[in-house]
Amino acid sequence: MPGPGDVLELIRSGRAVTRGDVLAVTGLSRMTVAGRVDALLAAGLVVENGTDRVTGGRRPRRLEFNTAHAHLLAATVETTHTTIAVTDLAGRIEHRRRIDLAVAAGPARTLEAITATALDLLERAGIAAGRVGGMGLSVPGPVDPDTGRPSQPPIMPGWDAYPVPDHLHDALGVPVLVANDADAAALGEQRAGYPGSRSLCLVKVSTGIGTGIVIDGRVYRGVDGGSGDIGHVRLAGHEDAVCQCGAHGCLAAVASGRAVARALTDLGTPATSGSDVGALLAQGDPDAHRLTQAAGRVIGEVMATVVCLLNPGEVVIGGALASAPLLAGVRETLYPRSLPVRPGTSRCTWPGSVRTPRRQGWPRCWSSGSTRRRR
């Protein structure tokens, strides 16, 4: 039987905006619906505002998710820096700060810096600790879905099995959820941009490379959180490329932001990370453009296998290198190497005023940069 949490999700998602809608969707009795809704109203999670459509007799009052009921903390740990934010319950960012601390600094130092920054943000915003409902943290490596601890992360020295949720919970006193960065980004894109998507893949290309997979609205994590870790697929012909994980020929060693940065440095343009490459792309640097498009071609070769295996409706390109040249390179190799399905169901567009020709049957391929228009 649907409980208050199920009813809250119906209201939050907009599937039910009146008590009558809840009744129709759930099949619960009027008394049970009244009890569920009254409990949510009493908890402050739902408010009744105004009136909705006229159906005869008294106009029903509209049920709305109360996004101001509490605040959330969010943090994303990148290889070269970390960003901490305070949001409302709808995920709208209210306050944000970046700290330049590399993940190689280790878990204790990184989490202590996150805690100090989060507490300072809350104090400056005048938000009491009791008004914080929880915290979400993403990290650039696999996360065990059962424990929330990093699971043998290739580029996070000292983080393996570290009790990240416990550390932050003890410091902040709120529930803490930890996720792989690509998984978190994929779920965010699916919820915000493609709520009806049955299968979505997000490829995050920054200093490293990872893929988040969302199937039927749920993140697929694999046995120990390692699903989608395509950055460590070994490529033939690149045995001389040494990866951060210590292996040779990994995709990340050939086509990540770090790899492009290294190639740019060899050409005389100093760069050390995906963020540096992203900044050069924004400035219109021709070498950054050329090398990023070449990296996209290599990524597209690997993604062709992912597309054939998962049959996604959307492939979203995110991360510091998400750009026109990267997307163009991915398309160059992804389309010829994967079979189209159900002609006429998908299209590829670039987030600007100019559309690329419709490619029937392939998944939609987007860049998730700030200029991408929502559909």
Side-chain angles (χ1 to χ4, degrees):
M1 178 183 295
D6 300 301
V7 174
L8 176 63
E9 176 59 22
L10 290 174
I11 296 169
R12 189 196 66 80
S13 65
R15 292 178 58 198
V17 296
T18 67
R19 293 173 185 252
D21 290 341
V22 176
L23 188 72
V25 173
T26 64
L28 297 171
S29 69
R30 288 185 180 277
M31 183 176 296
T32 302
V33 167
R36 299 282 193 270
V37 172
D38 288 345
L40 294 172
L41 290 169
L45 292 169
V46 170
V47 293
E48 272 187 312
N49 288 319
T51 59
D52 202 65
R53 55 191 179 277
V54 179
T55 58
R58 188 174 63 181
R59 293 185 175 184
R61 293 177 64 81
R62 185 179 183 88
L63 297 170
E64 297 178 357
F65 178 48
N66 184 12
T67 60
H69 174 68
H71 300 271
L72 299 173
L73 290 167
T76 176
V77 178
E78 303 282 355
T79 54
T80 59
H81 64 277
T82 293
T83 303
I84 302 96
V86 178
T87 77
D88 65 10
L89 291 184
R92 289 184 287 263
I93 294 176
E94 298 173 337
H95 309 279
R96 173 177 15 200
R97 187 179 302 168
R98 168 174 163 155
I99 54 176
D100 292 322
L101 185 64
V103 71
R109 185 179 171 191
T110 301
L111 297 179
E112 286 166 6
I114 290 173
T115 298
T117 303
L119 292 174
D120 186 59
L121 286 174
L122 292 173
E123 182 179 0
R124 290 175 179 271
I127 299 172
R131 295 280 294 165
V132 179
M135 180 178 194
L137 175 79
S138 68
V139 296
V143 174
D144 189 305
D146 296 323
T147 66
R149 299 182 178 191
S151 177
Q152 301 181 26
I155 62 172
M156 299 173 64
W159 287 78
D160 184 34
Y162 190 87
V164 176
D166 300 327
H167 185 127
L168 290 172
H169 177 269
D170 292 343
L172 297 169
V174 298
V176 178
L177 295 177
V178 182
N180 167 264
D181 55 359
D183 287 345
L187 186 60
E189 285 290 329
Q190 189 271 332
R191 290 288 194 270
Y194 313 97
S197 175
R198 296 174 58 187
S199 179
L200 176 145
C201 289
L202 179 137
V203 187
K204 184 183 178 188
V205 188
S206 293
T207 301
I209 301 175
T211 300
I213 302 166
V214 180
I215 299 174
D216 291 332
R218 298 174 65 90
V219 174
Y220 177 72
R221 296 182 173 87
V223 174
D224 61 359
S227 67
D229 199 5
I230 65 169
H232 299 285
V233 171
R234 308 290 173 81
L235 304 177
H238 295 278
E239 290 77 12
D240 58 335
V242 181
C243 183
Q244 280 184 283
C245 71
H248 292 253
C250 292
L251 175 64
V254 177
S256 67
R258 185 184 297 272
V260 175
R262 184 171 58 248
L264 285 168
T265 300
D266 291 342
L267 292 175
T269 302
T272 60
S273 66
S275 296
D276 292 343
V277 178
L280 290 168
L281 287 170
Q283 296 167 15
D285 184 279
D287 287 330
H289 185 291
R290 175 177 55 80
L291 292 170
T292 298
Q293 185 162 346
R297 295 188 195 101
V298 179
I299 295 169
E301 293 177 7
V302 175
M303 281 305 299
T305 300
V306 175
V307 166
C308 289
L309 179 66
L310 295 179
N311 187 24
E314 292 81 23
V315 173
V316 183
I317 311 297
L321 262 66
S323 58
L326 185 75
L327 188 61
V330 169
R331 286 173 172 165
E332 283 183 47
T333 50
L334 172 60
Y335 286 149
R337 292 170 182 259
S338 57
L339 292 174
V341 293
R342 292 199 305 165
T345 61
S346 304
R347 67 176 182 272
C348 258
T349 62
W350 169 247
S353 58
V354 179
R355 290 178 179 267
T356 56
R358 184 180 179 92
R359 296 294 299 269
Q360 293 187 340
W362 277 273
R364 278 173 282 224
C365 218
W366 300 94
S367 165
S368 65
S370 60
T371 59
R372 181 170 61 78
R373 296 183 294 180
R374 298 291 187 194
R375 294 298 196 274

